[in-house]
């Protein structure tokens, strides 16, 4: 089921239909309508039954009949379609009180009638009746609704006559060519249509009876396609941005798989309707035949001939719009899928896929052949993963669908949609698709090397905040990198081939080459693990945080000529509030106070200005506050949402209304400008006040455009995915930065600073001011105490010595080493400019 915070066209249509039923039932009940005359839930008429004449006379009964006792809050009652007219007649016949129909009801029923009529008209024109006596040709439900409107018309306001934009004629025009309900955003926003509310004293929830005739199935399918088309367009937008260098792989993959997951949830609400009509693929085929007939004037035989290779007509684009191409291919693979063996593809069996060729000039048959080759080569790899490598680190919606297919032998429509997404991505990337693998393996290998460097550096370094269990976790993560880079699918296929006496696989990483989504999710997996461990290590030693305090102090004192680019990137990405309590300190007194608060040291102790003898000075490590140190936390809030899924293989993201709103409003970035090609340029908002203003503006806009998510308004899945992609892309540098390496650089700097300043610090604070290397960050606090003259004679010598160490590091180019490394391994080109 689609999360409550999101909305689809089908859901919104159902809300309108339920609103009609709810107002009729609750209003009639308030007027004394006997509840026992409502069709019981467990004895609803079948979909092909017509209303009995007796039922039409129910509303003639005059006088009030006491309603049954109030039901408990939350009870649900299904209002049978057969009851709509009797309820309307009873409401009309009631004189005390005289019921005036609200404008919201009039507009809602007009809209439902318009939508239903447009579908029914086209179905009738194309001869899609399922039986000679089908209710379809009588527009059964439309007739019921029109009769209800006719009965209640005298009680309606004259100003609620259908507008030109809502008239059946206009709606039919909008459905021309079965371009499914183009104004669906009107359904989602509905700025001028307020749905009618049931009586406030009625605690029962009313819903309209589910209709399951073919007309209802084809209409539901068409509405579902409208939602899916918007999600599909968003996926294409994501990968076009990736192809053109405006997005990175992990962001594109997570946003895409989120879109596919939302699409699957959306479909789950609709798919049961298709069961009595052969399933979603059968309904898909019928819709395809209808559109082919309308656009091309072709007969059923001609369209069937195209399926078998006839070239007289070209229906590829229509089959693409209805997802029939992907459905046919997956269906054909499913028919030959053996439960014992992994499918084997012989190279060139169907031809050779040439990604360098121009797809735009190909015929429909040539395009279909190309799709067939891509999927036929990819399908065996996906089955091998599903069957042979259960502990693969990530799973996308296509692999999930393949696993379900393997278990049920049924092709699900979510798998069809995921298959189409795979094809679309290949159509967009073309020859760039296989370049994804080299970029992935290069970055994952670099992460492994980073961990190796950590082990070597920390051979003799221990911290009470980094227990052996954490070190073991890091070792396991390193082992998983080694396992992954050897290609576990390739290894498993080799073992299987030896047992089955079939040819060994010839190419490593073949699976990832055919699935940029899976490759991107794997990249996210290892980035997320490194991000989490890098932040944890930095917090355990305090290396980055307290070196940042030292760097800020020497900058404020104008003791540096150049920027430490690596540190500036981290300060900019994570924000000043991560490192400093309040604003950045600007003088010696603030350096010490803010350091003390960040370190968790009692500021009242260290800021006593009366000098003391060295042997009587309290050590910083002995006066910690109960609150403890303030660590780096809350970094990359949007990107971190997916750690449970793609790092720990846990559950799905819970898309609550508040959660969706946070995805948008918590992003600390804004659209700075929009290029003509649609490229969005993001700029980070560093000013807290400006950020607050941006969020307030977002909230106001949200209230006007979608009634504010937290107050019940909802987003379409496509809109959420767009916001997610932009937010993750804006966080990509923050999420990918090598914090573990920066920790080592910072720790090395602190070591050198301690060595250079040791004589001065010993003179002022005694020989035991530090007892072991794990206390090294406290050297920054002692330097600040000297510079401020807290408990000691004021002396800035140590601060100047520390500045010389940082300046020397910057001078030899080490200050931007990590930024350069990121550009080589991850492709992040960072242009860092100092503000004037």
């Amino acid at each position: 089921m689609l999360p409550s915070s999101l909305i689809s066209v089908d859901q919104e249509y159902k809300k309108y239909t339920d609103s009609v039923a709810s107002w009729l039932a609750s209003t009639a009940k308030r007027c004394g309508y006997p509840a026992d005359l409502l069709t019981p839930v467990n004895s609803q008429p079948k979909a092909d039954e017509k209303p009995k004449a007796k039922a039409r006379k129910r509303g003639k009964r005059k006088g009030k009949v006491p309603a049954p006792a109030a039901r408990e809050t939350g009870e649900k009652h299904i209002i049978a379609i057969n009851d709509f007219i009797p309820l309307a007649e009873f409401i009309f016949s009631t004189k005390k009180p005289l019921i005036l129909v609200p404008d919201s009801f009039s507009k809602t029923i007009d809209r439902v009638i318009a939508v239903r009529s447009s579908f029914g008209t086209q179905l009738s024109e194309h001869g899609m009746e399922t039986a000679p006596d089908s209710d379809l040709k009588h527009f059964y439900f439309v007739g019921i609704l029109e009769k209800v409107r006719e009965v209640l018309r005298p009680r309606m306001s004259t100003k609620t006559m259908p507008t030109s934009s809502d008239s059946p004629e206009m709606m039919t025009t909008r459905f021309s060519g079965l371009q499914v309900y183009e104004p669906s955003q009107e359904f989602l926003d509905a700025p001028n249509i307020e749905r009618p509310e049931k009586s406030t004293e009625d605690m029962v929830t009313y819903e309209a009876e589910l209709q399951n005739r073919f007309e209802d199935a084809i209409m539901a399918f068409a509405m579902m396609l409208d939602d899916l088309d918007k999600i599909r367009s968003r996926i294409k937008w994501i990968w076009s941005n990736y192809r053109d260098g405006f997005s990175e792989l992990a962001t594109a993959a997570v946003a895409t798989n989120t879109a596919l997951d939302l699409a699957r949830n959306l479909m789950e609400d609709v798919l049961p309707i298709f069961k009595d009509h052969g399933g979603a693929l059968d309904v898909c085929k019928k819709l395809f035949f209808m559109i082919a007939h309308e656009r091309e004037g072709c007969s059923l035989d001609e369209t069937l001939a195209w399926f078998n290779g006839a070239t007289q007509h070209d229906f590829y684009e229509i089959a693409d719009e209805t997802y029939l191409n992907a459905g046919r291919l997956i269906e054909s693979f499913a028919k030959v899928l053996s439960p014992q063996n992994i499918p084997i593809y012989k190279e060139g069996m169907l031809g050779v896929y040439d990604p360098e060729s121009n797809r735009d000039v190909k015929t429909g048959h040539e395009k279909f052949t190309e799709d067939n080759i891509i999927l036929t080569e990819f399908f065996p790899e996906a089955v091998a993963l599903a069957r042979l490598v259960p502990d693969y680190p990530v799973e996308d919606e296509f692999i999930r669908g393949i696993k379900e297919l393997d278990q049920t032998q049924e092709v699900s429509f979510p798998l069809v949609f995921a298959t189409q997404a795979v094809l679309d991505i290949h159509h967009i990337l073309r020859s760039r698709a296989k370049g994804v693998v080299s970029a992935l393996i290069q970055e994952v290998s670099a992460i492994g090397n980073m961990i190796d460097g950590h082990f070597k550096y920390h051979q003799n370094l221990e911290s009470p905040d980094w227990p052996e269990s954490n070190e073991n976790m890091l070792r396991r993560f390193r082992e998983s990198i080694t396992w992954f880079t050897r290609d576990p699918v390739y290894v498993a296929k080799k073992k299987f081939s030896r047992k089955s006496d079939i040819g060994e696989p010839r190419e490593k990483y073949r699976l990832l080459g055919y699935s940029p989504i899976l490759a991107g999710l794997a990249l996210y997996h290892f980035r997320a693990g490194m991000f989490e461990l890098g932040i944890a290590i930095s917090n355990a030693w305090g290396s980055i945080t307290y070196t940042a305090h030292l760097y800020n102090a020497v900058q404020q004192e104008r003791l540096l000529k150049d920027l430490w680019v690596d540190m500036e990137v981290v300060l900019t990405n994570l924000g000043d509030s991560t490192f400093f309590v309040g604003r950045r300190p600007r003088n010696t007194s603030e350096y010490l106070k803010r350091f003390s608060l960040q370190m968790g040291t009692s500021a009242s102790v260290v800021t006593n200005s009366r000098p003391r003898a060295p042997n009587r000075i309290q050590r910083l490590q002995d006066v910690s506050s109960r609150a403890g140190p303030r660590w780096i936390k809350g970094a990359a809030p949007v990107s971190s949402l997916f750690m449970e899924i793609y790092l720990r293989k846990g559950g799905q993201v819970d898309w609550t209304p508040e959660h969706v709103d946070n995805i948008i409003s918590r992003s600390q970035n804004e659209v700075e400008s929009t290029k003509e090609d649609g490229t969005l340029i993001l700029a980070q908002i560093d000013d807290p006040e400006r950020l607050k203003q941006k969020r307030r503006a977002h909230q106001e806009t949200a209230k006007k455009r979608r009634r504010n998510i937290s107050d019940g308004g909802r987003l379409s899945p496509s809109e959420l995915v767009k916001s997610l992609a932009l937010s993750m892309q804006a966080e990509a540098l923050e999420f990918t930065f090598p914090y573990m390496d920066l920790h080592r650089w910072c720790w090395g700097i602190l070591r050198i600073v301690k060595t250079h300043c040791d004589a001065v610090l010993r003179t002022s604070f005694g020989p035991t001011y530090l007892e072991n290397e794990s206390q090294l960050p406290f050297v920054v606090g002692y330097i600040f105490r000297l510079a401020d003259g807290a408990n000691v004679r004021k002396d800035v010598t140590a601060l100047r010595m520390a500045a010389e160490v940082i300046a020397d590091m910057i001078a030899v180019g080490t200050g931007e080493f990590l930024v350069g490394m990121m550009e080589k391994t991850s492709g992040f080109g960072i242009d860092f400019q100092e503000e004037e």
Side-chain angles (χ1 to χ4, degrees):
M1 179 179 293
L2 196 67
S4 61
S5 53
L6 303 179
I7 195 167
S8 67
V9 175
D10 179 76
Q11 281 184 341
E12 194 69 355
Y13 168 76
K14 186 177 185 302
K15 284 173 61 179
Y16 280 103
T17 307
D18 288 344
S19 294
V20 172
S22 182
W23 186 85
L24 288 172
S26 63
T27 303
K29 179 181 174 182
R30 179 161 59 90
C31 295
Y33 189 81
D36 61 299
L37 291 183
L38 291 173
T39 304
V41 175
N42 294 329
S43 60
Q44 295 180 20
K46 295 180 180 179
D48 57 351
E49 288 181 357
K50 297 182 181 180
K52 298 178 182 179
K54 181 179 178 181
R56 295 186 176 275
K57 296 180 180 180
R58 290 176 179 165
K60 301 293 185 180
R61 185 180 297 185
K62 295 183 178 181
K64 286 190 178 183
V65 178
R71 294 168 173 148
E72 295 181 4
T73 302
E75 182 181 347
K76 182 185 294 185
H77 195 105
I78 305 299
I79 304 303
I81 300 304
N82 291 351
D83 288 330
F84 276 40
I85 294 174
L87 289 171
E89 291 174 340
F90 187 86
I91 293 169
F92 177 75
S93 67
T94 300
K95 305 301 181 182
K96 295 182 180 179
L98 183 67
I99 302 298
L100 297 179
V101 178
D103 292 349
S104 57
F105 178 86
S106 304
K107 292 180 179 180
T108 298
I109 197 169
D110 285 346
R111 174 157 290 194
V112 175
I113 289 172
V115 173
R116 296 288 306 208
S117 297
S118 61
F119 274 96
T121 299
Q122 291 190 55
L123 289 169
S124 180
E125 288 175 354
H126 299 306
M128 294 304 295
E129 291 89 349
T130 55
D133 59 346
S134 171
D135 288 330
L136 197 86
K137 57 189 175 185
H138 299 296
F139 308 138
Y140 171 59
F141 187 42
V142 174
I144 294 290
L145 294 173
E146 288 177 336
K147 180 63 177 177
V148 168
R149 184 171 62 181
E150 178 185 341
V151 169
L152 295 176
R153 179 69 73 187
R155 299 283 188 267
M156 293 181 181
S157 168
T158 56
K159 67 180 181 180
T160 58
M161 295 294 290
T163 64
S164 59
S165 62
D166 285 330
S167 66
E169 293 79 10
M170 180 60 69
M171 293 296 292
T172 301
T173 301
R174 288 174 174 175
F175 277 99
S176 178
L178 285 177
Q179 296 299 311
V180 187
Y181 196 53
E182 288 296 335
S184 60
Q185 194 60 44
E186 292 181 22
F187 252 155
L188 302 182
D189 294 337
N192 300 316
I193 296 182
E194 177 186 358
R195 287 186 295 273
E197 299 290 341
K198 62 179 173 53
S199 299
T200 55
E201 65 272 15
D202 195 340
M203 297 292 102
V204 180
T205 298
Y206 298 99
E207 293 182 2
E209 173 191 10
L210 180 65
Q211 295 293 285
N212 201 24
R213 295 171 177 79
F214 178 70
E215 176 188 358
D216 303 292
I218 200 73
M219 178 177 172
F221 190 87
M223 284 187 170
M224 181 182 76
L225 287 194
D226 188 60
D227 285 312
L228 294 181
D229 285 347
K230 289 177 173 58
I231 296 174
R232 182 183 178 185
S233 295
R234 183 62 61 203
I235 292 173
K236 290 180 178 179
W237 173 81
I238 289 169
W239 290 95
S240 295
N241 281 341
Y242 171 75
R243 177 199 61 200
D244 298 337
F246 301 123
S247 180
E248 58 87 30
L249 181 61
T251 292
V254 172
T256 298
N257 209 51
T258 300
L260 294 175
D261 177 56
L262 292 174
R264 177 176 53 80
N265 286 318
L266 182 152
M267 284 183 265
E268 286 176 353
D269 296 332
V270 187
L271 291 177
I273 299 174
F274 310 132
K275 288 184 178 179
D276 293 340
H277 305 282
L281 267 179
D282 274 8
V283 176
C284 172
K285 292 172 184 176
K286 292 173 183 176
L287 182 61
F288 164 79
F289 291 139
M290 291 168 58
I291 299 175
H293 173 69
E294 179 176 359
R295 291 188 189 173
E296 307 292 339
C298 298
S299 67
L300 179 62
D301 289 340
E302 287 175 310
T303 52
L304 289 174
W306 178 78
F307 276 111
N308 296 321
T311 58
Q312 181 180 358
H313 300 281
D314 191 343
F315 300 118
Y316 178 87
E317 297 303 329
I318 299 175
D320 179 79
E321 292 173 19
T322 54
Y323 301 92
L324 187 56
N325 288 328
R328 287 175 61 199
L329 290 170
I330 285 295
E331 205 172 31
S332 67
F333 299 152
K335 291 178 180 178
V336 297
L337 184 59
S338 167
Q340 289 83 25
N341 295 313
I342 302 296
I344 300 174
Y345 174 73
K346 295 182 179 179
E347 299 293 335
M349 181 175 64
L350 300 175
V352 178
Y353 168 53
D354 180 11
E356 299 287 352
S357 62
N358 186 355
R359 181 176 171 84
D360 293 337
V361 301
K362 296 180 186 293
T363 66
H365 281 291
E366 290 171 337
K367 290 178 180 179
F368 186 79
T369 298
E370 186 175 85
D371 294 347
N372 196 4
I373 295 172
I374 293 171
L375 289 180
T376 305
E377 293 181 356
F378 179 35
F379 186 73
E381 303 298 321
V383 174
L385 170 59
R387 291 182 176 179
L388 303 178
V389 193
D391 50 351
Y392 203 76
V394 291
E395 175 182 288
D396 65 5
E397 286 297 314
F398 182 82
I399 297 300
R400 174 178 177 163
I402 292 296
K403 289 181 177 180
E404 291 175 353
L405 170 64
D406 207 21
Q407 294 172 357
T408 65
Q409 285 76 53
E410 294 181 2
V411 175
S412 68
F413 210 77
L415 174 58
V416 172
F417 186 70
T419 301
Q420 186 61 61
V422 170
L423 290 173
D424 287 342
I425 292 169
H426 276 278
H427 299 162
I428 292 169
L429 297 184
R430 303 299 286 173
S431 60
R432 292 184 178 94
K434 293 203 173 183
V436 165
V437 176
S438 58
L440 166 66
I441 299 304
Q442 176 176 293
E443 185 168 342
V444 172
S445 298
I447 291 173
N449 294 335
M450 199 184 309
I451 297 174
D452 292 339
H454 166 84
F455 289 142
K456 183 177 180 180
Y457 191 85
H458 283 253
Q459 287 180 12
N460 301 313
L461 180 61
E462 295 181 357
S463 169
D465 297 316
W466 187 256
E468 184 63 24
S469 59
N470 285 9
E471 198 73 357
N472 290 334
M473 181 173 60
L474 186 57
R475 289 191 184 94
R476 288 194 296 272
F477 186 65
R478 179 63 181 95
E479 290 169 358
S480 71
I481 291 175
T482 302
W483 175 79
F484 179 80
T485 53
R486 290 173 179 166
D487 191 355
V489 176
Y490 174 80
V491 173
K493 286 174 64 180
K494 285 187 69 173
K495 291 180 180 179
F496 182 83
S497 65
R498 291 166 185 166
K499 293 180 181 179
S500 306
D501 195 25
I502 58 177
E504 289 192 0
R506 297 179 300 172
E507 183 182 352
K508 291 179 69 174
Y509 309 123
R510 189 178 178 89
L511 169 73
L512 297 172
Y514 279 101
S515 180
I517 302 175
L518 200 65
L521 293 182
L523 181 57
Y524 174 92
H525 170 86
F526 291 108
R527 280 184 181 174
M530 200 59 192
F531 172 80
E532 190 173 59
L533 289 166
I535 295 293
I537 288 171
S538 300
N539 285 337
W541 272 271
S543 50
I544 297 176
T545 299
Y546 304 118
T547 306
H549 275 256
L550 181 60
Y551 171 66
N552 172 73
V554 297
Q555 264 197 322
Q556 297 292 339
E557 297 300 315
R558 301 184 182 279
L559 299 176
L560 290 180
K561 293 181 180 180
D562 300 308
L563 292 177
W564 182 359
V565 174
D566 290 339
M567 180 62 77
E568 288 288 353
V569 168
V570 170
L571 289 171
T572 301
N573 278 326
L574 300 184
D576 288 351
S577 60
T578 301
F579 299 93
F580 309 103
V581 180
R583 66 180 186 181
R584 288 196 188 193
R586 299 176 182 178
N587 55 56
T588 56
S589 176
E590 289 185 352
Y591 304 153
L592 180 57
K593 289 179 181 179
R594 302 289 169 80
F595 174 86
S596 300
L597 291 172
Q598 194 76 24
M599 188 68 115
T601 302
S602 176
S604 62
V605 174
V606 300
T607 57
N608 190 324
S609 60
R610 187 176 62 182
R612 298 181 182 180
N615 59 350
R616 297 185 59 191
I617 293 176
Q618 286 184 302
R619 297 182 308 172
L620 292 174
Q621 56 268 41
D622 296 333
V623 290
S624 299
S625 68
R626 292 182 179 179
R630 292 174 171 85
W631 300 128
I632 299 172
K633 59 182 179 180
V638 176
S639 301
S640 297
L641 288 173
F642 300 90
M643 282 189 173
E644 192 62 31
I645 304 173
Y646 301 122
L647 178 60
R648 289 179 275 275
K649 301 183 74 170
Q652 300 296 306
V653 173
D654 182 17
W655 298 110
T656 63
E658 294 76 17
H659 206 159
V660 173
D661 203 35
N662 284 339
I663 282 281
I664 303 168
S665 62
R666 285 172 64 193
S667 173
Q668 296 183 358
N669 299 274
E670 63 179 3
V671 176
E672 188 176 78
S673 63
T674 304
K675 292 186 178 180
E676 293 182 359
D677 62 1
T679 302
L680 297 174
I681 301 174
L682 300 176
Q684 183 158 3
I685 303 174
D686 298 320
D687 184 355
E689 287 303 317
R690 188 179 171 201
L691 179 57
K692 289 179 182 178
Q693 292 174 6
K694 185 247 182 180
R695 289 176 174 170
R696 281 196 295 266
H698 160 73
Q699 291 173 356
E700 290 302 317
T701 301
K703 288 179 181 179
K704 293 179 182 179
R705 185 173 182 274
R706 53 182 177 80
R707 296 158 289 171
N708 197 334
I709 295 173
S710 59
D711 292 334
R714 294 184 285 177
L715 286 175
S716 69
S718 174
E719 289 174 307
L720 173 62
V721 171
K722 177 182 178 181
S723 297
L724 173 63
L726 292 174
S727 297
M728 286 191 65
Q729 180 60 34
E731 290 181 352
L733 177 59
E734 176 183 346
F735 196 64
T736 310
F737 193 85
Y739 298 100
M740 191 178 292
D741 274 353
L742 183 60
H743 151 70
R744 295 205 304 273
W745 283 112
C746 289
W747 199 262
I749 287 172
L750 291 176
R751 279 177 172 173
I752 299 172
V753 167
K754 192 262 184 186
T755 300
H756 276 58
C757 301
D758 187 60
V760 176
L761 297 178
R762 282 174 176 270
T763 300
S764 299
F765 302 109
T768 61
Y769 72 97
L770 293 182
E771 294 178 308
N772 55 66
E773 190 173 6
S774 67
Q775 297 173 352
L776 194 57
F778 284 100
V779 75
V780 178
Y782 286 115
I783 291 173
F784 290 165
R785 286 178 74 174
L786 269 180
D788 189 49
N791 305 133
V792 293
R793 191 181 305 278
K794 187 170 182 177
D795 186 356
V796 296
T797 303
L799 186 61
R800 290 182 178 278
M801 289 180 172
E804 292 173 0
V805 172
I806 297 175
D808 290 344
M809 178 267 297
I810 295 174
V812 298
T814 309
E816 51 188 320
F817 176 82
L818 300 181
V819 166
M821 182 182 72
M822 286 190 69
E823 186 168 2
K824 291 180 180 178
T825 59
S826 307
F828 285 98
I830 301 170
D831 182 15
F832 196 90
Q833 297 179 350
E834 187 175 7
E835 294 182 358
E836 296 181 358

